[in-house]
Amino acid sequence: MIPELGQLSLILAAQLAFLMAALPLWGVATNNIRLMSTARSLAFGQLLLVSLAFALLTSSFVLQDFSVLYVANNSNSLLPMLYRFSAVWGAHEGSLLLWVLILSIWTAMVARFSRSLPIEVVARVLAVLGLISLGFLLFTVIASNPFDRLLPSAAEGRDLNPLLQDPGLIFHPPMQYAGYVGFAVPFAFAIASLLSGQMDDRWVRWSRPWTNVAWAFLTAGIALGSWWAYYELGWGGWWFWDPAENAAFMPWLVGTALIHSQAVTEKRGSFRNWTLLLAIAAFSLSLLGTFLIRSGVLTSVHAFAADPERGVFILGFLAVVVGGSLLLFGLRANTVAAGKSFAPLSRDTLLLLNNLLFSVAAVMVLIGTLYPLLADALDLGKMSVGPPYFSALFILLMAPVVLLMPFGPFTRWASEQWGRFVPLLRVALSTTAVLCLFAWLGADASHWKTFAGVAGATWLIVGTLQFVWKRFREAPSGRRFTAEMLGMVLAHLGMGVFVAGVMIVESTSVERDLALRAGESAEFRGYRFEFEGVAHQDGPNYSADRGSISVYVGERKIASMHPEKRAYASGGQIMTEAAIDPGLFRDLYVALGEPLDGGDSWAVRVYVKPFIRWIWLGALMMMAGGFIAAMDRRFRRHDTRQATSAISNAAVEAIA
């Protein structure tokens, strides 16, 4: 009975989504306040029904109901209780239901926290979100139903993919989906403004906090996915330009451009077309990622089972959403008012360059991801685009971003003078030169990427801290730092930390493949790794060979490491569980290979990875910056108060 109730809940939710897409727009067209007001109630109703369906599917996993096909394919009686909960979104059907649930949460949040906005605006925004919800709910009910019955019931389940039996599954997908789906909100505001014909700065101001929160969630999701791959896959890497990684990275790049473009549109009335297009592109790329991962057209560790029929459904929905929004933009573009003029040297110009660089980077990643698929479809042969292409072009495009980023907060709107940058250049360049000298004197820092990392990170961090000091000295008390400004500062500092981590670990990371017998040791980068042997142990649903390795610096023991090779009971899949000794300035990473010489020795791979933690630390700082910026009180004020605040902010920024 539980699966049938779940399916019924999804059908009813789809009906409410249809009403939410139709009734509010009808109300706007006829100026009927009652019809427009139904949007909020329908949003809450949809959330209630989708939450019920999700809870019912979760209960099927907890109770191990193998009469549900999805449960039988992705669970097992030996599966630990913790992973029974996360297994709900461990495969296609459940992950799509999670997507719909998060979309329903975003929709209800907009309904809850937009009560100060004009009712016709809320009606249009929620109608657009209702249309998106309807598309995904229909897809779930028709082509991806997680409540399909298996009759007769299976005696035992196939088990959850061993790769997914990890805490990473608990946190990574919900975070990433929250980011993906979150870009539907600025998309809905953009479409609502195009429908109304009132494409001024108000819709941007209303959508800015939602954009920042979505971007922050996506940043966290990508960072958690990178960390999960690092410790789970046993290869010691943090990014591989996998197609599904690219699918998440593209909306992040466009979302970053969107955040900066929204700031210009709100404060200067410029870049309106840019902001509209970026809002459309950010969500469109999120949908494209959904298509790539769920259609089976790509090969990826992240991809779900190949299903062309599902791929066609998603592709059709993508065509409708993207094509319809671009058509609407094309019809309305000529009515968008031009913004204020600005000089070649101004904050406006720097942010325009920012938009161009991030957009071009997203296009570069898109081409590299889709070109092999297009070549295969056109019978041009099988080919792949690997990390060398992405790394080379991405560094080339991002270097100007790093170079120009510290100048942005210092620069005035409309027009600026070169002489005001002299203090920045003097302090930041001298500090960068000193730290690069220290890097050159380091024994293992002769690679150009080390210097690039040190120079870029120092340039960003020192430049940002100079801006903080300047605001503290010159801005009036109580107006020095708004939440938006604090968020910007933290995000820029996080970018500096991230750049240092990426460039230094790429240039100084070292690895060594060893063959060790019990009692043997190997010296490596100042560390002595002593192999103590391998013992067999049993887990809840697997058996493992567990290695023991002691690490010494001189005669001082600094770590005991225990890498594993696990064989899972259902299917016998072998998984490598790396052992990591973490540190702020380095990680020691050990992966256990196969037995050699009839079991007398074992293959062991050892990594020393300087500063790798800075990659995720920087990402978390950027995430926190996005959340803090979204808390700015200006975004929650009524129009009259917002206008006063904007004037006051402009006066404060004029002295900066």
Side-chain angles (χ1 to χ4, degrees), residues 175-366:
M175 281 285 187
Q176 189 144 313
Y177 285 9
Y180 272 147
V181 180
F183 282 123
V185 178
F187 171 83
F189 272 99
I191 298 302
S193 73
L194 289 169
L195 290 172
S196 69
Q198 298 177 352
M199 289 156 290
D200 53 24
D201 62 333
R202 292 180 299 168
W203 78 269
V204 176
R205 183 172 62 247
W206 298 329
S207 67
R208 285 191 69 190
W210 303 103
T211 307
N212 278 278
V213 171
W215 180 87
F217 273 123
L218 186 56
T219 303
I222 293 172
L224 285 171
S226 170
W227 162 240
W228 185 10
Y230 169 69
Y231 75 78
E232 176 64 21
L233 297 181
W235 62 296
W238 64 277
W239 192 262
F240 193 65
W241 296 104
D242 178 271
E245 290 176 337
N246 297 346
F249 194 39
M250 286 185 289
W252 186 90
L253 290 169
V254 174
T256 304
L258 175 60
I259 288 174
H260 293 85
S261 190
Q262 285 179 330
V264 183
T265 302
E266 184 206 352
K267 296 176 181 179
R268 293 276 295 162
S270 304
F271 299 4
R272 288 191 175 101
N273 280 328
W274 260 108
T275 304
L276 287 165
L277 277 175
L278 288 171
I280 294 171
F283 183 60
S284 298
L285 288 170
S286 296
L287 292 180
L288 178 63
T290 304
F291 165 72
L292 292 175
I293 294 174
R294 287 169 170 79
S295 63
V297 300
L298 57 78
T299 301
S300 166
V301 70
H302 301 79
F304 294 100
D307 192 333
E309 293 183 3
R310 291 171 175 172
V312 169
F313 192 109
I314 298 175
L315 187 61
F317 184 64
L318 178 65
V320 170
V321 173
V322 178
S325 58
L326 291 178
L327 176 61
L328 181 60
F329 175 81
L331 294 173
R332 296 286 195 179
N334 61 342
T335 64
V336 179
K340 300 176 182 178
S341 61
F342 52 89
L345 181 60
S346 62
R347 187 182 296 187
D348 311 62
T349 301
L350 291 180
L351 291 174
L352 177 61
L353 290 173
N354 174 86
N355 284 359
L356 287 170
L357 289 167
F358 275 100
S359 299
V360 171
V363 171
M364 179 270 295
V365 177
L366 179 64

Side-chain angles (χ1 to χ4, degrees), residues 54 89 93-103 173-174 177 181:
F54 192 86
W89 56 83
E93 291 86 351
S95 71
L96 191 67
L97 182 58
L98 176 64
W99 179 288
V100 174
L101 174 64
I102 293 174
L103 178 57
Y177 285 9
V181 180

Side-chain angles (χ1 to χ4, degrees), residues 534-539 542-547 563-567:
V534 174
H536 187 81
Q537 71 172 28
D538 292 322
Y542 63 84
S543 60
D545 292 319
R546 188 171 190 259
E564 295 181 4
K565 297 285 286 190
R566 294 179 179 178

Side-chain angles (χ1 to χ4, degrees), residues 133-134 264 287 382 400 423 451 652:
S133 299
L134 177 62
V264 183
L287 292 180
K382 296 284 186 179
F451 294 98
V652 173

